[in-house]
């Protein structure tokens, strides 16, 4: 079972990962956007870590709803409301349980991803964060490691796609040949589940 502490570790591990990879995320966004994705994510998740420490929410659902709210209020770019909605909706789906199973998390995250799709109007193959998130939630119940691998494969598969949503879509054909920055950051969010569970992703998540 996954307790409140696990969810805090998940958010903190995401903050560390986006801090470490911020330059790469920004470089990806420089190619097909406005070169702010790394700084957006770093600012947002630093604020998430800070508020979680300050307010110390006591359930998994409360950790994620607070994190989501914080992202929405601190990140100006498109990714703030989208990731904020993802975490808020996922947290809401977890309700006020003290502990949740991996399957419950997989279902809740599925609801969160559906909310992102609804908010942004994007579908699979539109070259967005959804291209990493959708395949990840499908296998998340099996293992976090598989989910991370699926997210990575989905992110890499955005390279040949033409962007149909967000800033990159303004480039049309010229968006082809670059990895979507939001898909790359989604890999970090999903990969942080493996780190939070303290496994190498080998299946006992
Ligand atoms: P901005 O585009 O406002 O500069 P960011 O650079 O932080 O914001 O985030 C860009 C990422 O947001 C994109 O790479 C893409 O993955 C994601 N994104 C943008 N629009 C959408 C959308 N409508 N649906 C899903 N994801 C989107
Ligand atoms: Mg940007």
């Amino acid at each position: 079972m996954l307790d409140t502490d696990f969810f805090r570790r998940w958010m903190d591990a995401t903050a560390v990962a986006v801090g470490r990879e911020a330059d790469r995320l920004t470089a990806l966004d420089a190619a097909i956007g406005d070169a702010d994705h790394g700084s957006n994510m770093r600012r947002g998740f630093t604020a998430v870590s800070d508020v979680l420490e300050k307010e110390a929410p006591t359930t998994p659902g409360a950790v994620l709803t607070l994190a989501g709210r914080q992202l929405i209020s601190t990140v100006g770019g498109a990714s703030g409301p989208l990731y904020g909605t993802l975490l808020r909706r996922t947290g809401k789906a977890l309700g006020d349980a003290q502990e949740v199973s991996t399957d419950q998390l997989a279902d809740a995250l599925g609801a969160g991803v559906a909310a992102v799709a609804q908010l942004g109007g994007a579908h699979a193959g539109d070259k967005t964060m959804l291209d990493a998130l959708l395949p990840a939630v499908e296998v998340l119940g099996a293992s976090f490691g598989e989910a991370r691998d699926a997210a990575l494969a989905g992110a890499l598969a955005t390279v040949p796609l033409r962007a149909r949503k967000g800033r990159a879509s303004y480039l049309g054909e010229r968006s082809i040949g670059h990895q979507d920055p939001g898909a790359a950051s989604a890999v970090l969010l999903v990969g942080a589940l493996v780190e939070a569970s303290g496994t190498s992703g080998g299946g006992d998540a």
Side-chain angles (χ1 to χ4, degrees), residues 140-200:
L140 194 86
S143 94
F144 293 154
E146 274 183 49
R148 177 194 54 197
D149 294 349
L152 179 59
L156 295 176
T158 64
V159 172
L161 298 177
R162 173 185 174 155
R164 279 191 256 273
K165 288 288 169 190
R167 223 175 256 286
S169 66
Y170 308 154
L171 291 182
E173 298 278 322
R174 282 182 294 132
S175 65
I176 293 171
H178 304 277
Q179 185 179 167
D180 179 63
S185 59
V187 176
L188 303 179
L189 178 72
V190 177
L193 284 169
V194 178
E195 290 160 41
S197 66
T199 70
S200 56

Coordinates of all heavy atoms in Angstrom, one line a residue, residues 140-200:
L140 N 0.5 1.1 -15.5 CA 0.9 1.5 -14.1 C 0.5 0.5 -13.0 O 1.2 0.3 -12.1 CB 0.3 2.9 -13.8 CG 0.9 3.6 -12.6 CD1 2.2 4.4 -13.0 CD2 -0.1 4.6 -11.9
G141 N -0.6 -0.1 -13.2 CA -1.1 -1.1 -12.2 C -0.2 -2.3 -12.2 O 0.0 -2.9 -11.1
A142 N 0.5 -2.6 -13.3 CA 1.4 -3.7 -13.3 C 2.7 -3.4 -12.6 O 3.2 -4.1 -11.7 CB 1.7 -4.1 -14.8
S143 N 3.4 -2.3 -13.0 CA 4.6 -1.9 -12.2 C 5.0 -0.4 -12.6 O 4.7 0.0 -13.7 CB 5.7 -2.8 -12.4 OG 6.6 -2.4 -13.5
F144 N 5.5 0.3 -11.6 CA 6.0 1.6 -11.9 C 7.1 1.6 -12.9 O 7.2 2.6 -13.7 CB 6.5 2.3 -10.6 CG 5.4 2.5 -9.6 CD1 5.7 2.6 -8.2 CD2 4.0 2.7 -10.0 CE1 4.7 2.8 -7.3 CE2 3.0 2.9 -9.0 CZ 3.4 3.0 -7.7
G145 N 7.9 0.6 -12.9 CA 9.0 0.6 -13.8 C 8.5 0.4 -15.3 O 9.0 1.1 -16.2
E146 N 7.5 -0.4 -15.4 CA 6.9 -0.5 -16.8 C 6.3 0.8 -17.2 O 6.3 1.1 -18.4 CB 5.9 -1.6 -16.8 CG 6.4 -3.0 -17.0 CD 5.3 -4.1 -17.1 OE1 4.3 -3.9 -17.8 OE2 5.4 -5.1 -16.4
A147 N 5.7 1.5 -16.3 CA 5.0 2.7 -16.6 C 6.1 3.8 -17.0 O 5.9 4.5 -18.0 CB 4.2 3.3 -15.4
R148 N 7.2 3.8 -16.3 CA 8.3 4.7 -16.7 C 8.8 4.4 -18.1 O 9.0 5.3 -19.0 CB 9.4 4.6 -15.7 CG 10.6 5.5 -16.1 CD 11.8 5.1 -15.2 NE 12.1 3.7 -15.4 CZ 12.9 3.0 -14.5 NH1 13.4 3.5 -13.5 NH2 13.1 1.7 -14.7
D149 N 9.0 3.1 -18.4 CA 9.5 2.7 -19.7 C 8.5 3.0 -20.8 O 8.8 3.5 -21.9 CB 9.7 1.2 -19.8 CG 10.9 0.8 -18.8 OD1 11.6 1.7 -18.4 OD2 11.1 -0.4 -18.6
A150 N 7.2 2.9 -20.5 CA 6.1 3.2 -21.5 C 6.1 4.7 -21.7 O 5.9 5.2 -22.9 CB 4.8 2.7 -21.0
A151 N 6.3 5.5 -20.7 CA 6.3 6.9 -20.8 C 7.4 7.4 -21.7 O 7.3 8.2 -22.6 CB 6.4 7.6 -19.4
L152 N 8.6 6.8 -21.4 CA 9.8 7.1 -22.2 C 9.6 6.7 -23.7 O 9.9 7.5 -24.6 CB 11.0 6.4 -21.6 CG 12.3 6.6 -22.4 CD1 12.7 8.1 -22.4 CD2 13.5 5.9 -21.7
A153 N 9.1 5.6 -23.9 CA 8.8 5.2 -25.3 C 7.9 6.1 -26.0 O 8.0 6.5 -27.1 CB 8.3 3.7 -25.4
G154 N 6.8 6.5 -25.2 CA 5.8 7.5 -25.8 C 6.5 8.8 -26.1 O 6.2 9.4 -27.1
A155 N 7.3 9.3 -25.2 CA 8.0 10.6 -25.4 C 8.9 10.5 -26.6 O 8.9 11.5 -27.4 CB 8.8 11.0 -24.1
L156 N 9.7 9.4 -26.7 CA 10.6 9.3 -27.9 C 9.8 9.2 -29.2 O 10.2 9.7 -30.2 CB 11.5 8.1 -27.7 CG 12.5 8.2 -26.6 CD1 13.3 6.9 -26.4 CD2 13.4 9.4 -26.7
A157 N 8.6 8.6 -29.1 CA 7.8 8.5 -30.3 C 7.1 9.8 -30.7 O 6.5 9.9 -31.8 CB 6.7 7.4 -30.1
T158 N 7.3 10.9 -29.9 CA 6.7 12.2 -30.4 C 7.7 12.9 -31.4 O 7.3 13.8 -32.1 CB 6.6 13.2 -29.2 OG1 7.8 13.5 -28.6 CG2 5.6 12.6 -28.1
V159 N 8.9 12.4 -31.5 CA 9.9 13.0 -32.4 C 9.4 13.2 -33.8 O 9.4 14.3 -34.4 CB 11.3 12.3 -32.3 CG1 12.2 12.9 -33.4 CG2 11.9 12.4 -30.9
P160 N 8.9 12.1 -34.4 CA 8.5 12.3 -35.8 C 7.1 12.9 -36.0 O 6.6 13.1 -37.1 CB 8.4 10.8 -36.4 CG 8.3 10.0 -35.2 CD 8.9 10.7 -34.0
L161 N 6.4 13.2 -34.9 CA 5.0 13.7 -35.0 C 5.0 15.2 -35.3 O 5.9 15.9 -34.9 CB 4.3 13.5 -33.7 CG 4.1 12.0 -33.3 CD1 3.4 12.0 -31.9 CD2 3.2 11.3 -34.3
R162 N 3.9 15.6 -35.9 CA 3.7 17.0 -36.1 C 2.7 17.5 -35.0 O 1.7 16.9 -34.7 CB 3.0 17.2 -37.4 CG 2.5 18.6 -37.7 CD 1.7 18.7 -39.0 NE 1.2 20.0 -39.1 CZ 0.9 20.6 -40.3 NH1 1.1 19.9 -41.4 NH2 0.4 21.8 -40.3
A163 N 3.1 18.6 -34.3 CA 2.3 19.1 -33.1 C 1.0 19.6 -33.6 O 0.9 20.4 -34.6 CB 3.1 20.2 -32.4
R164 N 0.0 19.2 -32.9 CA -1.4 19.7 -33.2 C -2.0 20.6 -32.1 O -3.1 21.1 -32.2 CB -2.3 18.5 -33.5 CG -2.2 18.0 -34.9 CD -3.3 17.0 -35.2 NE -2.8 15.7 -35.1 CZ -2.3 15.0 -36.2 NH1 -2.2 15.7 -37.3 NH2 -1.9 13.8 -36.1
K165 N -1.3 20.6 -30.9 CA -1.8 21.4 -29.8 C -0.6 22.2 -29.2 O 0.5 21.9 -29.4 CB -2.3 20.5 -28.7 CG -3.6 19.8 -29.1 CD -4.8 20.8 -29.1 CE -6.0 20.2 -29.7 NZ -7.1 21.2 -29.9
G166 N -1.0 23.3 -28.5 CA 0.0 24.1 -27.9 C 0.8 24.9 -28.8 O 0.6 25.0 -30.0
R167 N 1.8 25.6 -28.3 CA 2.7 26.5 -29.0 C 3.4 25.9 -30.2 O 3.5 26.5 -31.2 CB 3.8 27.0 -28.0 CG 4.1 28.4 -28.0 CD 5.1 28.7 -26.9 NE 4.4 29.3 -25.7 CZ 4.1 30.6 -25.7 NH1 4.2 31.3 -26.8 NH2 3.5 31.1 -24.7
A168 N 3.8 24.6 -30.0 CA 4.6 23.9 -31.1 C 3.7 23.8 -32.3 O 4.3 23.6 -33.4 CB 5.1 22.6 -30.6
S169 N 2.4 23.8 -32.2 CA 1.5 23.6 -33.3 C 1.6 24.8 -34.3 O 1.4 24.6 -35.5 CB 0.1 23.4 -32.9 OG -0.5 24.5 -32.3
Y170 N 2.1 25.9 -33.8 CA 2.2 27.1 -34.7 C 3.3 26.8 -35.7 O 3.3 27.5 -36.8 CB 2.6 28.4 -33.9 CG 1.7 28.7 -32.7 CD1 2.2 29.5 -31.7 CD2 0.4 28.3 -32.7 CE1 1.4 29.8 -30.6 CE2 -0.4 28.6 -31.6 CZ 0.1 29.4 -30.5 OH -0.7 29.7 -29.5
L171 N 4.2 25.9 -35.4 CA 5.3 25.6 -36.3 C 4.9 24.7 -37.5 O 5.6 24.5 -38.5 CB 6.5 25.0 -35.6 CG 7.2 25.8 -34.6 CD1 8.4 25.0 -34.0 CD2 7.8 27.1 -35.3
G172 N 3.8 24.0 -37.3 CA 3.3 23.1 -38.4 C 4.3 22.0 -38.6 O 4.8 21.4 -37.7
E173 N 4.7 21.9 -39.9 CA 5.7 20.8 -40.3 C 7.0 21.0 -39.6 O 7.7 20.0 -39.4 CB 5.9 20.9 -41.8 CG 4.7 20.7 -42.7 CD 4.5 19.3 -42.9 OE1 5.4 18.5 -43.1 OE2 3.3 18.9 -42.9
R174 N 7.4 22.2 -39.2 CA 8.7 22.4 -38.6 C 8.8 21.8 -37.2 O 9.8 21.8 -36.6 CB 9.0 23.9 -38.6 CG 9.5 24.3 -40.0 CD 10.0 25.7 -40.1 NE 8.8 26.6 -39.9 CZ 8.8 27.6 -39.0 NH1 9.8 27.9 -38.3 NH2 7.7 28.4 -38.9
S175 N 7.6 21.4 -36.7 CA 7.7 20.8 -35.3 C 8.1 19.3 -35.4 O 8.5 18.7 -34.4 CB 6.3 20.8 -34.6 OG 5.3 20.1 -35.4
I176 N 8.2 18.8 -36.6 CA 8.6 17.4 -36.9 C 10.1 17.3 -36.6 O 10.9 18.2 -37.0 CB 8.2 17.0 -38.3 CG1 6.7 16.9 -38.4 CG2 8.9 15.6 -38.7 CD1 6.2 16.6 -39.8
G177 N 10.5 16.2 -36.0 CA 11.9 15.9 -35.8 C 12.4 16.4 -34.4 O 13.6 16.3 -34.1
H178 N 11.5 16.8 -33.5 CA 11.9 17.2 -32.2 C 11.0 16.5 -31.2 O 9.8 16.4 -31.4 CB 11.8 18.7 -32.0 CG 12.6 19.5 -33.0 ND1 13.9 19.8 -32.8 CD2 12.2 20.1 -34.2 CE1 14.3 20.5 -33.9 NE2 13.3 20.7 -34.7
Q179 N 11.6 16.2 -30.0 CA 10.8 15.6 -29.0 C 10.0 16.6 -28.2 O 10.5 17.7 -28.0 CB 11.7 14.9 -27.9 CG 11.0 14.1 -26.9 CD 11.9 13.4 -25.9 OE1 11.4 12.9 -24.8 NE2 13.2 13.3 -26.2
D180 N 8.7 16.3 -27.9 CA 7.9 17.3 -27.2 C 8.4 17.5 -25.8 O 8.6 16.5 -25.0 CB 6.5 16.7 -27.2 CG 5.6 17.7 -26.4 OD1 5.4 18.9 -26.8 OD2 5.1 17.3 -25.3
P181 N 8.6 18.7 -25.4 CA 9.1 18.9 -24.0 C 8.2 18.4 -22.9 O 8.7 17.9 -21.9 CB 9.3 20.5 -23.9 CG 8.7 21.0 -25.2 CD 8.6 19.9 -26.2
G182 N 6.9 18.6 -23.1 CA 6.0 18.2 -22.0 C 5.9 16.6 -21.9 O 5.8 16.1 -20.8
A183 N 6.1 16.0 -23.0 CA 6.2 14.5 -23.0 C 7.5 14.1 -22.2 O 7.5 13.1 -21.4 CB 6.2 13.9 -24.4
A184 N 8.6 14.9 -22.4 CA 9.8 14.6 -21.7 C 9.7 14.8 -20.2 O 10.2 14.0 -19.4 CB 11.0 15.4 -22.3
S185 N 9.0 15.8 -19.8 CA 8.8 16.1 -18.4 C 7.9 15.1 -17.8 O 8.0 14.7 -16.6 CB 8.4 17.5 -18.1 OG 7.1 17.8 -18.7
A186 N 6.9 14.6 -18.6 CA 6.0 13.5 -18.0 C 6.8 12.3 -17.7 O 6.4 11.5 -16.8 CB 4.9 13.3 -19.1
V187 N 7.8 12.0 -18.5 CA 8.7 10.8 -18.2 C 9.3 11.0 -16.8 O 9.4 10.0 -16.0 CB 9.8 10.6 -19.2 CG1 10.7 9.5 -18.8 CG2 9.2 10.4 -20.6
L188 N 9.7 12.2 -16.4 CA 10.3 12.5 -15.1 C 9.3 12.3 -14.0 O 9.6 11.7 -13.0 CB 10.9 13.9 -15.1 CG 11.9 14.2 -16.2 CD1 12.4 15.6 -16.0 CD2 13.1 13.2 -16.1
L189 N 8.1 12.7 -14.2 CA 7.0 12.6 -13.2 C 6.7 11.1 -13.0 O 6.6 10.6 -11.8 CB 5.7 13.3 -13.7 CG 4.5 13.2 -12.8 CD1 4.7 14.0 -11.5 CD2 3.2 13.6 -13.5
V190 N 6.6 10.3 -14.1 CA 6.3 8.9 -13.9 C 7.5 8.2 -13.3 O 7.4 7.3 -12.5 CB 5.9 8.3 -15.3 CG1 5.7 6.8 -15.1 CG2 4.6 9.0 -15.8
G191 N 8.7 8.5 -13.8 CA 9.9 7.9 -13.3 C 10.1 8.1 -11.8 O 10.7 7.3 -11.1
A192 N 9.6 9.3 -11.3 CA 9.8 9.6 -9.9 C 9.0 8.6 -9.0 O 9.3 8.5 -7.8 CB 9.4 11.0 -9.6
L193 N 8.0 8.0 -9.6 CA 7.2 7.0 -8.8 C 8.1 5.8 -8.5 O 8.0 5.2 -7.4 CB 6.1 6.4 -9.7 CG 4.8 7.3 -9.8 CD1 3.9 6.7 -10.9 CD2 4.1 7.4 -8.5
V194 N 9.0 5.5 -9.4 CA 10.0 4.4 -9.2 C 10.9 4.8 -8.0 O 11.2 4.0 -7.1 CB 10.8 4.0 -10.4 CG1 11.8 2.9 -10.2 CG2 9.8 3.7 -11.6
E195 N 11.4 6.0 -8.1 CA 12.3 6.5 -7.0 C 11.6 6.5 -5.7 O 12.2 6.2 -4.7 CB 12.9 7.9 -7.4 CG 13.8 7.8 -8.6 CD 14.0 9.1 -9.3 OE1 14.1 10.1 -8.6 OE2 14.1 9.1 -10.5
A196 N 10.4 7.0 -5.7 CA 9.6 7.1 -4.4 C 9.3 5.8 -3.8 O 9.3 5.6 -2.6 CB 8.3 7.9 -4.7
S197 N 9.2 4.7 -4.6 CA 8.9 3.4 -4.1 C 10.2 2.7 -3.7 O 10.2 1.6 -3.1 CB 8.1 2.6 -5.1 OG 8.9 2.3 -6.3
G198 N 11.4 3.3 -4.0 CA 12.6 2.7 -3.5 C 13.0 1.5 -4.2 O 13.9 0.7 -3.8
T199 N 12.4 1.2 -5.4 CA 12.8 0.0 -6.2 C 13.5 0.5 -7.4 O 13.5 1.7 -7.8 CB 11.5 -0.8 -6.6 OG1 10.8 0.0 -7.6 CG2 10.6 -1.1 -5.5
S200 N 14.0 -0.4 -8.2 CA 14.6 -0.1 -9.4 C 13.6 -0.2 -10.6 O 13.9 -0.1 -11.7 CB 15.8 -1.0 -9.7 OG 15.4 -2.3 -9.7

